[in-house]
Amino acid sequence: MDDKCRSFLKESGINADAALEFMMGSERMFEKYLYRFTEDPTFSELFSSIKEQRREEARIAAHSLKSITATLGFTELNRLVKAQELAFKEGRWDDGVAMEPDVQAEYQRICKIIEQAKENSQKYSGFA
């Protein structure tokens, strides 16, 4: 990962330095998991669980996403899913459901950033 990409991620609200720390400094590992994030089915599971009112599945999905987003340095998305998971865990279903639009918006924003980073990475290094 070049400095330009790292700066782009940082300016976009992704804490690549924290993610690299989780991954023991392996930029290749970080890129691998960063670029695969958009394919992870956990967000779809969260959103479908909420829609179908499968409360325990929604809580489990939010819990998983809390870990994934922290590991990848998605600070704002992590904050949102962490609050959502807590609401579900405490039995405040309506509060957790009310967070869905913000979670979805931030998820979509992160996905766009990742696609831009991937395009730039492929353009300049041929790796993605």
Side-chain angles (χ1 to χ4, degrees), residues 61-97:
H63 178 78
S64 295
L65 291 167
K66 179 178 70 173
S67 299
I68 294 167
T69 57
T71 300
L72 291 172
F74 303 157
T75 308
E76 179 60 14
L77 188 54
N78 178 260
R79 183 188 70 75
L80 291 167
V81 295
K82 192 177 192 179
Q84 190 175 47
E85 184 218 6
L86 183 61
F88 291 152
K89 185 177 180 179
E90 291 177 346
R92 296 181 291 113
W93 176 254
D94 291 339
D95 291 344
V97 170

Side-chain angles (χ1 to χ4, degrees), residues 2-14:
D2 63 15
D3 290 337
K4 189 174 185 177
C5 183
R6 190 175 293 168
S7 293
F8 170 71
L9 293 174
K10 185 176 182 176
E11 290 166 10
S12 300
I14 295 175

Side-chain angles (χ1 to χ4, degrees), residues 5 9 13 16 24 27 39-41 44 53-55 57 65 78 83 87 92 98 102 106 121:
C5 183
L9 293 174
M24 300 185 311
E27 290 183 358
E39 301 165 12
D40 189 294
S44 294
Q53 296 193 16
R54 292 182 283 127
R55 295 175 183 219
E57 288 89 345
L65 291 167
N78 178 260
R92 296 181 291 113
D102 291 337
E106 183 62 11
S121 178

